[in-house]
Amino acid sequence: MGQHYLKSLFSPESVAIFGASDRIDSVGQIVLSNMLKSGYKGALFPINPKHEEIQGHKAYASLFQVSEIVELAVIATPAQTVPDIIEDCGKHGIKAAVIISAGFSETGATGQTLERAVLENARRYGIRLLGPNCLGIMRPDRGLNATFNKGSANAGNLAFVSQSGALCTAILDWAQTNDVGFSSVVSLGSTADVDFGEILDYLVTDQLTQNILLYIEGIRNARSFMSSLRAAARIKPVILVKVGRHAAGSKAAMSHTASLVGSDDAFDAAVRRAGVVRVQTITQLFSAAKALSCGFHPSGNRLAIVTNGGGPGVMATDHAIDLGLEMAALSDATMEQLNQVLPPTWSHGNPVDVIGDAQADRYQKAVRACLEDSNVDGVLAILTPQAMTKPLEAANTLIELSKQYSKPLLTCWMGESQVAESRVAFNLAKKPNFRTPEPAVEVFSYLSAYYRNQKLLMQMPGPLSHHLEPDVEAARMIIDGALQDRRKILSEMESKALLSAFHIPVAQTMIAHSPNEAMLIAQQLGFPVVMKVNSRDITHKTDAGGVLLNLVNAQAVTAAYHTIIANVKLNRPDAQMDGVSIEPMVVKPNGRELMVGVTYDAVFGPVITFGAGGTMVEVIGDRAVVLPPLNTFLVRDLIQSTHAAKMLGTFRHMPPVAMAALESVLLRVSEMVCELPALTEMDINPLIVDEHGALAADARIVIALRQPSADRYAHMAIYPYPTHLISTWQLADGRNITIRPIRPEDAEIEQAFVRGLSEEARYFRFMFSVQELSQAMLLRFTQIDYSREMALIAVTFEQDKEIELGVARFAISPEGESCEFALVIADAMQGKGLGQKLMTALMDAARAKGLKVMAGEVLKTNTNMLKLMNRLGFSIEDRLDDDNIKRVRKIL
């Protein structure tokens, strides 16, 4: 529970400014001036060998002339001077530096060499770097403005993190005139060291920050980004803009899926799974943040519109439908209530047109009725100034009404001079208001997306989803065999064998190497049959003339064999052929053709896609994308995100499909992705689904050699629930105990566990007095990211209720090779061996992740814990800065 390792960056008690200057408009002059004007209360040390005084403050020729402790260095000197400055900072004990200077890796080979030297010096001394080539960092509440922005920022609760310094300056200028305040403004620059992940890690525990806004151009470390993003989004709303949605150029695709799914699709899927809202413009970024900070609790996407003008209501409705929102179907009770309070000429539907002469009371009654309707998730109130309208009265009425409901209430007062006072009133009340209907509707769409994505975030699927386990070893043998042959593409037979190993139903397939053999196989399988060229070189068999369907007799099969061979020789003379595959013609009169695919994104790893299938798949372009692992909730969300979902129910006199069978296939594909790191691309197309089940009629799989890793799921951006860490144990009294990783739904038993600890046990664990966990602490302890931390709880059942008996957890340190642990055991379980059992399991989990060191802190008075540490082989030393705390450490 110590201070965050980036505290020196965000809240330094003292700052040295290298390159501080009196020269007007130089970077060093602006940085020092900003620090002085912002009222920085810590110690300031301008460093410049050419001056004894700068801007009225004593200057120092070098850092060695400063006798006091310095926590943060801000560097605004030429690039070639920076490596030596970082060396000096290391010798002086500085632990954080902001490198504003440009001229590093962005400039070419010379700059790259300089950047490497800077990083080597920083790592040698444990200095964390922001930048280089960045605007700097602001903490308005602390009076810290270590930037060269011409101007300051108001204090507030929004944290803004940007990869673009230029955009930071524009936003800071905009924020001043729009009364937007910040807890932090961080310009990342070229992220040579500190990246999004670590900044998010700090902000999630920062008490000044309530909402986190991100401007992203590209991601370097997907695992770090995703784990930090998910940890932050569990506790605070995170809203982001990412540019570069339409990447120029495309890769040569070996499968349909790879040609359909771009990097932006993968990014979109990633941020949805992280519980984050993605917007497209900076204005939307702040509008969404303002709406989320109002205390709204969005619960869906059903919108009601109340308006005094038909035209604006229709405009808002059109835009809502374009964005995939649902216009709420008002209940009979609401309709009756509206009939009683509105004129007979009201619209009798949604949008609710309260007629042009509506005044405040009519707005209040109509909006209240909609807010109280369980079919409505949010309300947009639109006002156009008309002869009878009193905009300010109506605005004040809705401001008061909004305080009584947690559902989103957004307002759009159209016009200018007649509604100016109303806008002031809305702004003073911190209520989101808009000039036109479209942006208001967009913000509601972001609120509903936040609600939906938060539900996605809460899903913690394991790698395996079925009781019938797949034959993973057989699947790996197929892949290993192909890799030994130096092949990237599996044959159709191998691909179907891989699917079968994961219990995905496939059409029976046999290979013929002559017309006569083809005839015999067809007779064995039964007519009609399908024949396809069997070639590892051909992705799209139909395009090569290598597929013939509905062959009904021996003569047709013999002729088809010759035709396929001739077509492929003509169309693809370069392709190697290994005969022709034959399978029964799947006749499913009620079948729907779908496609399930896998592709490998350069940043986020494996991605699963689903949509309409068949030969026109690329033309139709109907697909939804998701990051694995999946569970039933995520699979259903994936299916409903496609146009194909509409034809899976009763459709054109066909009965609804067997949804359980379709869901099972998608869950099995998720298992394949989790357990087979070599799987890089896959098409199951078509996957034919009808009322009886699902069948993979064709499959194509691309593989690649992956370097072995101690982390079995290192290839994935989202770590599955680690079911392999579940174990059972029996106490001497016969009670069965399960040790397993903690889950989000354990919040209640975790709270009860901490509440049940003695005051001494709680103090030993937290090192300060705590009665029970706050909501933020509870979220942090139970909704963990298994890729960066682990919490193993020991549970048993008493009277059919699960009880927590102990918990051991570790968090991986920033350097990625060590971890800090904590352990607490229920008072009644002391001395029964549970602590040793939990610690042994925790150390095994840390070793499996490739960690080398486990360390922790124990109060000197906690003698039982110190005895346990001694038994487990931990070294025990005094902490240098605190005699009451022992530092324990073990090489794993």
Side-chain angles (χ1 to χ4, degrees):
M1 301 296 290
Q3 290 182 338
H4 195 279
Y5 63 91
L6 291 182
K7 177 192 173 293
S8 296
L9 177 65
F10 281 88
S11 298
E13 298 294 332
S14 50
V15 178
I17 301 173
F18 290 83
S21 173
D22 282 319
R23 183 162 51 86
I24 299 300
D25 286 346
S26 66
V27 173
Q29 182 266 328
I30 296 170
V31 173
L32 180 56
S33 175
N34 282 343
M35 291 291 286
L36 296 171
K37 289 177 181 175
S38 64
Y40 177 64
K41 298 176 181 63
L44 270 177
F45 303 102
I47 310 290
N48 190 321
K50 298 177 182 178
H51 301 275
E52 293 184 1
E53 185 179 283
I54 300 173
Q55 299 185 37
H57 280 252
K58 180 185 176 183
Y60 299 81
S62 76
L63 193 56
F64 298 108
Q65 290 188 356
V66 179
S67 57
E68 292 96 326
I69 292 171
V70 178
E71 290 196 18
L72 175 65
V74 181
I75 303 170
T77 60
Q80 62 268 23
T81 67
V82 177
D84 289 341
I85 290 174
I86 294 297
E87 176 79 20
D88 291 348
C89 289
K91 291 175 180 175
H92 201 77
I94 295 175
K95 292 302 178 188
V98 177
I99 305 176
I100 291 173
S101 319
F104 293 92
S105 58
E106 78 278 4
T107 63
T110 303
Q112 288 170 0
T113 302
L114 277 172
E115 190 171 298
R116 278 196 299 272
V118 168
L119 287 170
E120 285 169 9
N121 289 349
R123 284 168 185 156
R124 189 162 61 253
Y125 291 104
I127 302 172
R128 303 314 306 271
L129 305 177
L130 182 65
N133 193 18
C134 69
L135 182 73
I137 184 169
M138 285 186 182
R139 291 279 279 178
D141 187 72
R142 309 281 191 204
L144 177 72
N145 184 356
T147 72
F148 64 96
N149 177 62
K150 287 195 172 181
S152 60
N154 297 327
N157 57 27
L158 298 178
F160 180 61
V161 187
S162 173
Q163 282 181 314
S164 167
L167 192 77
C168 275
T169 60
I171 283 172
L172 288 166
D173 185 54
W174 175 89
Q176 285 284 11
T177 56
N178 284 272
D179 192 31
V180 172
F182 297 94
S183 64
S184 305
V185 177
V186 183
S187 165
L188 290 173
S190 57
T191 59
D193 180 30
V194 173
D195 202 348
F196 275 112
E198 292 181 276
I199 297 294
L200 283 167
D201 193 61
Y202 181 88
L203 294 173
V204 73
T205 56
D206 177 36
Q207 293 184 348
L208 299 177
T209 299
Q210 291 183 15
N211 293 266
I212 301 171
L213 314 181
L214 307 176
Y215 172 85
I216 298 173
E217 293 175 349
I219 300 301
R220 280 194 179 190
N221 186 327
R223 175 64 72 79
S224 165
F225 174 72
M226 281 298 292
S227 63
S228 300
L229 197 63
R230 297 179 82 219
R234 287 185 176 102
I235 297 173
K236 300 174 182 181
V238 181
I239 309 160
L240 64 82
V241 173
K242 180 183 179 292
V243 293
R245 289 181 295 119
H246 306 293
S250 61
K251 65 176 181 177
M254 292 185 183
S255 68
H256 287 291
T257 303
S259 63
L260 280 170
V261 180
S263 60
D264 198 64
D265 295 304
F267 183 88
D268 218 40
V271 297
R272 283 201 309 273
R273 277 296 302 274
V276 171
V277 178
R278 182 182 182 183
V279 300
Q280 304 303 332
T281 70
I282 295 301
T283 304
Q284 292 168 352
L285 189 74
F286 286 98
S287 295
K290 189 180 287 188
L292 282 168
S293 65
C294 285
F296 292 147
H297 295 287
S299 59
N301 71 341
R302 299 168 300 175
L303 178 65
I305 297 169
V306 176
T307 176
N308 70 345
V314 173
M315 290 167 64
T317 301
D318 285 347
H319 200 50
I321 293 168
D322 288 342
L323 294 173
L325 296 173
E326 188 179 332
M327 293 302 292
L330 302 177
S331 69
D332 291 343
T334 301
M335 292 293 288
E336 179 56 35
Q337 192 176 348
L338 291 171
N339 282 332
Q340 291 176 13
V341 299
L342 297 180
T345 53
W346 82 279
S347 57
H348 297 280
N350 181 18
V352 178
D353 188 343
V354 294
I355 312 304
D357 62 352
Q359 295 192 4
D361 63 329
R362 198 182 296 171
Y363 264 99
Q364 196 257 9
K365 290 172 182 174
V367 170
R368 183 187 291 278
C370 291
L371 285 170
E372 291 186 349
D373 190 331
S374 60
N375 292 343
V376 173
D377 298 316
V379 177
L380 167 60
I382 302 174
L383 181 144
T384 57
Q386 300 180 35
M388 307 279 290
T389 314
K390 294 180 180 177
L392 183 58
E393 284 186 23
N396 286 327
T397 298
L398 293 195
I399 288 168
E400 288 306 309
L401 188 63
S402 70
K403 295 174 183 176
Q404 301 168 33
Y405 297 89
S406 62
K407 287 182 184 179
L409 171 55
L410 306 173
T411 58
C412 169
W413 263 219
M414 300 180 73
E416 201 55 56
S417 59
Q418 293 184 58
V419 296
E421 286 182 298
S422 302
R423 291 210 181 102
V424 170
F426 284 128
N427 289 334
L428 286 173
K430 305 290 185 187
K431 301 297 179 186
N433 62 98
F434 304 88
R435 294 171 182 269
T436 55
E438 289 84 358
V441 172
E442 287 167 8
V443 165
F444 179 73
S445 78
Y446 300 137
L447 291 169
S448 65
Y450 177 72
Y451 165 74
R452 177 189 174 202
N453 295 352
Q454 283 286 304
K455 290 202 293 184
L456 300 182
L457 171 64
M458 290 302 109
Q459 307 307 309
M460 290 277 189
L464 303 179
S465 55
H466 291 63
H467 293 298
L468 182 59
E469 289 195 10
D471 191 347
V472 177
E473 280 309 308
R476 287 176 182 157
M477 286 174 66
I478 295 168
I479 290 173
D480 290 344
L483 290 172
Q484 285 171 10
D485 291 344
R486 298 187 176 180
R487 289 190 284 116
K488 289 184 177 180
I489 302 174
L490 300 186
S491 68
E492 183 178 348
M493 294 290 285
E494 289 170 326
S495 296
K496 287 185 174 179
L498 212 62
L499 297 183
S500 294
F502 282 81
H503 307 296
I504 295 175
V506 297
Q508 183 183 2
T509 305
M510 300 177 74
I511 304 297
H513 294 92
S514 69
N516 193 50
E517 192 178 356
M519 180 185 66
L520 293 171
I521 289 171
Q523 287 175 331
Q524 179 184 336
L525 293 174
F527 295 104
V529 295
V530 177
M531 295 176 65
K532 307 173 191 174
V533 63
N534 186 39
S535 172
R536 296 162 180 161
D537 300 326
I538 301 174
T539 299
H540 306 314
K541 301 182 184 76
T542 302
D543 295 348
V547 179
L548 289 174
L549 308 174
N550 204 26
L551 304 167
V552 296
N553 55 43
Q555 185 178 359
V557 166
T558 304
Y561 188 96
H562 290 295
T563 301
I564 287 172
I565 298 296
N567 285 347
V568 173
K569 282 182 178 177
L570 176 65
N571 296 321
R572 288 292 304 276
D574 58 314
Q576 294 288 318
M577 286 184 282
D578 182 24
V580 173
S581 69
I582 304 170
E583 60 191 63
M585 177 77 186
V586 179
V587 180
K588 288 181 175 283
N590 296 326
R592 281 72 145 183
E593 289 195 346
L594 304 169
M595 186 193 83
V596 178
V598 173
T599 187
Y600 203 88
D601 182 75
V603 176
F604 294 102
V607 176
I608 296 172
T609 185
F610 167 79
T615 56
M616 299 293 284
V617 62
E618 279 135 336
V619 177
I620 297 169
D622 171 38
R623 81 281 186 275
V625 175
V626 69
L627 263 60
L630 303 182
N631 59 13
T632 303
F633 181 93
L634 294 167
V635 161
R636 289 172 181 169
D637 182 79
L638 175 68
I639 293 169
Q640 291 305 316
S641 300
T642 64
H643 297 304
K646 295 173 184 174
M647 65 179 187
L648 300 178
T650 303
F651 181 73
R652 291 183 179 173
H653 309 296
M654 293 188 290
V657 304
M659 286 298 291
L662 173 57
E663 290 170 5
S664 177
V665 170
L666 286 162
L667 289 169
R668 290 299 192 180
V669 169
S670 174
E671 292 178 359
M672 293 177 73
V673 167
C674 290
E675 299 300 331
L676 305 176
L679 177 63
T680 56
E681 290 180 22
M682 179 169 74
D683 289 335
I684 302 176
N685 182 30
L687 176 73
I688 302 174
V689 187
D690 66 3
E691 69 273 26
H692 302 297
L695 183 74
D698 201 356
R700 184 168 180 81
I701 292 175
V702 181
I703 56 175
L705 184 63
R706 300 264 175 226
Q707 291 300 319
S709 170
D711 183 350
R712 63 193 288 169
Y713 302 116
H715 61 295
M716 302 175 67
I718 298 174
Y719 205 90
Y721 178 78
T723 51
H724 61 284
L725 296 180
I726 300 174
S727 63
T728 55
W729 183 51
Q730 194 170 59
L731 288 172
D733 62 11
R735 271 188 296 173
N736 291 316
I737 289 177
T738 299
I739 294 175
R740 60 169 174 80
I742 204 164
R743 296 188 295 248
E745 52 266 37
D746 293 324
E748 188 176 334
I749 65 169
E750 173 79 356
Q751 183 69 282
F753 170 70
V754 172
R755 198 180 287 143
L757 293 172
S758 66
E759 190 172 332
E760 181 184 54
R762 283 197 297 268
Y763 189 76
F764 283 159
R765 165 61 183 91
F766 298 105
M767 297 191 186
F768 60 86
S769 183
V770 58
Q771 292 305 309
E772 63 177 48
L773 300 177
S774 67
Q775 190 61 25
M777 290 172 74
L778 197 59
L779 287 169
R780 193 73 193 85
F781 285 170
T782 57
Q783 297 175 18
I784 70 171
D785 191 308
Y786 305 111
S787 67
R788 63 202 302 233
E789 55 191 321
M790 185 56 63
L792 298 176
I793 59 172
V795 295
T796 191
F797 278 89
E798 294 180 6
Q799 299 174 343
D800 294 328
K801 187 178 179 183
E802 201 172 36
I803 305 294
E804 184 177 333
L805 303 175
V807 57
R809 61 179 71 236
F810 69 71
I812 299 175
S813 302
E815 91 290 336
E817 294 191 344
S818 65
C819 62
E820 293 276 328
F821 82 93
L823 169 71
V824 62
I825 304 296
D827 292 76
M829 296 300 297
Q830 299 283 339
K832 298 182 185 296
L834 182 59
Q836 184 159 337
K837 195 75 178 175
L838 269 171
M839 279 302 298
T840 302
L842 192 71
M843 288 188 289
D844 288 342
R847 285 189 200 98
K849 277 193 166 295
L851 298 173
K852 297 174 182 174
V853 177
M854 180 174 280
E857 294 185 339
V858 182
L859 284 168
K860 187 167 66 175
T861 51
N862 192 353
T863 53
N864 287 337
M865 176 69 92
L866 290 172
K867 287 177 184 176
L868 174 61
M869 293 297 101
N870 192 47
R871 283 200 304 274
L872 291 170
F874 279 73
S875 64
I876 303 174
E877 298 174 352
D878 290 328
R879 205 173 89 174
L880 296 176
D881 60 340
D882 193 333
D883 293 341
N884 294 314
I885 295 175
K886 297 285 188 180
R887 186 82 181 152
V888 300
R889 189 173 183 272
K890 181 178 174 64
I891 306 294
L892 295 174

